């Protein structure tokens, strides 16, 4: 079993602590918690069977205390702090030889995300991110269909998500939320991270990004609460991605048009139309003006609905299994089995980079009013981020 330290005890940190301490995660045990909150010990005792008073979990007020007093007490860390703190916290852990499971996003700019991944590779430790939607059955099924070529060459993708409606109370729930200074952006760098991770996991990375973003359309801040992004791919595929946190009616779907079929996925229902002929062949050889010689076979598939802690449990369990495999590999000459287990890691640091490439590319494109090439120029993005922070401070006085 892998001993972990949770750094940050906000909403998600508490959630993971309860899951681990309850025994839900068979591969992890909680050794330490690092938090600035003076109420952390009280919360842990009241909600987790008095683990602090019993001495079962050690509590530290900052990372210096943690590393000075508990260096040998844990093998890995779970990071649940505000976004901008993720890189420094992860890099310190890597340099100490600790494995890292990090909440999304990897950071708030691509340079930091690239450095995190580089440091993890140099240290030869496990580095994963909590992109739990990868465990959803609908996305696993969708990826299998795409990778198998079931709908042919993908020509176009359209995704819309208005399922993350957020109130003023939410935006005010933390000083760091919904600000350039505290969060590094708005909807795209928060809720959008899960969606953009799924996009790059399913469809790969585009060649360029063009975005139109509304800054504070529904709120009195200057970060984004609505975004429309166009993705252009080297192979000719195009994509449209729409995210809004200001629409109360929940609409959430992905449509994929391929040369052999068309897929639409709404929450837990997958619909597929399979064409009788591949469109690339049909367009060249059909003797009619449209689709008169093309037929469609329709299928509707009901998928399992993932709710509650189950997707997070899978991510935490997978992280523990991957760390165990890495440790076993270091002590074994027969590495074939452990290599296979490491290959089963749900995510890695490159995914954190890719998702931020899409996010930062969209922000930069909207700001400049033109398309931006991927990978993003990291220094140019940092200049943009500094300017937005300055503008925000001017607005707030």
């Amino acid at each position: 079993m892998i001993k972990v330290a949770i750094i940050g005890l906000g909403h998600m940190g508490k959630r993971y602590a309860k899951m681990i301490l309850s025994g839900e995660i068979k591969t992890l045990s909680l050794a330490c918690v690092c938090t600035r909150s003076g109420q952390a010990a009280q919360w842990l005792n009241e909600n987790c069977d008095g683990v602090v008073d019993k001495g079962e979990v050690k509590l530290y007020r900052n990372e210096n205390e943690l590393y000075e007093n508990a260096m040998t007490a844990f093998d890995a860390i779970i990071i649940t702090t505000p976004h901008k703190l993720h890189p420094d916290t992860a890099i310190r852990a890597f340099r100490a030889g600790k494995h890292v499971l990090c909440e999304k996003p990897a950071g708030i700019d691509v340079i930091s995300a690239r450095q995190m991944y580089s440091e993890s590779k140099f240290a030869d430790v496990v580095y994963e991110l909590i992109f739990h939607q990868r465990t959803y059955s609908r996305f696993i099924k969708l990826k299998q269909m795409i990778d198998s070529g079931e709908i042919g060459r993908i020509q176009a993708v359209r995704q819309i998500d208005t399922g993350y409606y957020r109130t003023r109370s939410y935006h005010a729930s933390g000083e760091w939320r919904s600000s350039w200074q505290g969060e590094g952006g708005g909807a795209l760098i928060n809720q959008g991270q899960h969606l953009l991770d799924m996009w790059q996991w399913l469809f790969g990375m585009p060649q360029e990004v063009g975005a139109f973003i509304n800054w504070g359309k529904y709120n009195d801040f200057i970060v984004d609460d609505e975004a429309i992004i166009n993705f252009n791919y080297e192979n000719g595929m195009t994509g449209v991605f729409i995210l809004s946190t200001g629409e109360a009616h929940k609409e959430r779907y992905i449509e994929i048009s391929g040369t052999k079929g068309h897929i639409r996925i709404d929450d837990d229902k997958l619909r597929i139309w399979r064409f009788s002929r591949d469109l690339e062949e049909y367009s060249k050889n059909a003797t009619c003006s449209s689709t008169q010689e093309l037929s469609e076979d329709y299928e509707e598939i009901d998928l399992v609905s993932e709710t509650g802690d189950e997707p997070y449990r899978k991510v935490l369990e997978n992280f523990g299994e991957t760390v165990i495999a890495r440790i076993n590999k270091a002590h074994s000459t027969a590495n074939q089995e452990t290599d296979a287990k490491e290959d089963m890691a749900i995510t890695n640091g490159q995914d954190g980079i890719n998702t931020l490439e899409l996010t930062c590319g969209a922000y930069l494109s909207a700001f400049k009013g033109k398309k931006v090439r991927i990978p993003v120029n990291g220094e140019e993005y940092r200049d943009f981020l500094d300017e937005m922070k300055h503008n925000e401070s001017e607005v707030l006085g």
Side-chain angles (χ1 to χ4, degrees):
M1 189 173 287
I2 301 302
K3 295 176 289 185
V4 299
I6 293 179
I7 300 184
L9 201 67
H11 174 70
M12 297 310 297
K14 290 175 180 176
R15 189 170 186 173
Y16 301 147
K18 288 185 72 172
M19 291 172 66
I20 296 170
L21 289 168
S22 69
E24 286 183 55
I25 315 302
K26 306 304 181 185
T27 57
L28 302 179
S29 65
L30 184 61
C32 315
V33 170
C34 180
T35 175
R36 293 175 298 176
S37 170
Q39 299 176 333
Q42 180 181 348
W43 184 90
L44 282 166
N45 279 324
E46 290 178 353
N47 293 274
C48 302
D49 196 29
V51 291
V52 176
D53 287 347
K54 293 177 183 178
E56 296 172 2
V57 174
K58 298 295 184 183
L59 193 66
Y60 298 98
R61 298 300 294 273
N62 57 62
E63 290 179 47
N64 288 337
E65 281 188 12
L66 175 70
Y67 283 101
E68 287 170 4
N69 296 286
M71 184 65 178
T72 61
F74 63 99
D75 310 297
I77 68 169
I78 300 174
I79 302 173
T80 63
T81 57
H83 307 338
K84 67 179 182 180
L85 302 179
H86 293 179
D88 287 346
T89 299
I91 289 169
R92 182 169 188 174
F94 296 144
R95 292 178 179 177
K98 306 298 183 182
H99 307 279
V100 172
L101 178 62
C102 185
E103 262 292 353
K104 55 81 182 168
I108 62 172
D109 70 81
V110 290
I111 291 179
S112 295
R114 293 166 187 163
Q115 184 183 2
M116 290 166 73
Y117 189 42
S118 177
E119 292 270 0
S120 74
K121 300 296 285 185
F122 182 78
D124 193 27
V125 293
V126 174
Y127 169 34
E128 294 188 51
L129 290 109
I130 302 177
F131 287 130
H132 67 282
Q133 291 192 11
R134 290 193 183 201
T135 70
Y136 288 10
S137 62
R138 59 182 178 273
F139 293 131
I140 293 173
K141 176 67 175 177
L142 188 57
K143 184 164 178 60
Q144 291 171 345
M145 296 174 77
I146 291 170
D147 291 350
S148 70
E150 187 166 343
I151 60 168
R153 183 178 64 83
I154 296 177
Q155 299 170 308
V157 179
R158 294 174 290 278
Q159 179 173 5
I160 184 167
D161 199 306
T162 63
Y164 289 106
Y165 179 79
R166 293 294 183 262
T167 64
R168 298 288 181 92
S169 177
Y170 168 85
H171 294 299
S173 63
E175 292 183 0
W176 59 277
R177 283 198 185 280
S178 307
S179 68
W180 292 107
Q181 184 63 46
E183 193 166 14
L188 284 178
I189 203 145
N190 191 331
Q191 294 82 15
Q193 290 300 285
H194 291 299
L195 307 176
L196 291 172
D197 172 65
M198 293 312 306
W199 185 287
Q200 65 93 16
W201 186 54
L202 293 169
F203 311 116
M205 291 296 286
Q207 187 177 46
E208 61 182 9
V209 173
F212 177 82
I213 291 176
N214 283 305
W215 316 103
K217 175 179 177 180
Y218 301 99
N219 300 275
D220 55 353
F221 49 53
I222 66 168
V223 294
D224 51 303
D225 47 17
E226 183 176 88
I228 302 170
I229 309 174
N230 291 304
F231 296 120
N232 294 321
Y233 285 75
E234 191 171 3
N235 66 357
M237 189 189 105
T238 57
V240 178
F241 173 94
I242 300 174
L243 169 66
S244 174
T245 59
E247 297 182 29
H249 175 68
K250 180 180 177 180
E251 189 169 20
R252 179 173 280 168
Y253 68 83
I254 302 175
E255 284 194 313
I256 308 166
S257 294
T259 58
K260 292 182 179 180
H262 183 91
I263 293 174
R264 178 179 172 111
I265 187 164
D266 298 87
D267 286 331
D268 300 318
K269 189 175 294 294
L270 187 149
R271 299 175 174 88
I272 180 167
W273 294 260
R274 296 179 179 89
F275 304 148
S276 57
R277 296 164 65 178
D278 188 293
L279 293 183
E280 292 180 322
E281 176 275 323
Y282 177 80
S283 178
K284 295 175 184 177
N285 300 312
T287 59
C288 59
S289 60
S290 186
T291 59
Q292 293 91 335
E293 297 173 11
L294 189 72
S295 61
E296 294 179 341
D297 177 50
Y298 175 73
E299 181 182 6
E300 192 171 291
I301 303 171
D302 289 320
L303 302 172
V304 176
S305 177
E306 289 86 0
T307 59
D309 287 337
E310 182 62 16
Y312 295 101
R313 186 197 64 75
K314 291 178 180 178
V315 171
L316 294 174
E317 192 74 37
N318 175 265
F319 175 66
E321 290 173 350
T322 307
V323 173
I324 290 169
R326 179 67 60 90
I327 292 172
N328 289 342
K329 180 179 179 181
H331 295 90
S332 173
T333 55
N335 293 332
Q336 194 169 23
E337 182 180 349
T338 57
D339 283 345
K341 288 183 178 178
E342 282 198 65
D343 289 342
M344 292 172 63
I346 292 174
T347 64
N348 61 51
Q350 185 62 53
D351 298 312
I353 297 172
N354 290 349
T355 305
L356 276 174
E357 291 279 7
L358 301 181
T359 305
C360 298
Y363 281 151
L364 203 55
S365 170
F367 178 74
K368 296 171 67 174
K370 64 180 183 180
K371 293 177 181 178
V372 168
R373 299 281 294 185
I374 300 294
V376 171
N377 181 317
E379 293 296 341
E380 183 181 14
Y381 186 77
R382 282 190 167 176
D383 289 341
F384 154 77
L385 194 55
D386 287 342
E387 183 169 346
M388 298 305 282
K389 289 177 182 178
H390 174 75
N391 293 343
E392 185 174 67
S393 65
E394 290 286 314
V395 170
L396 296 176

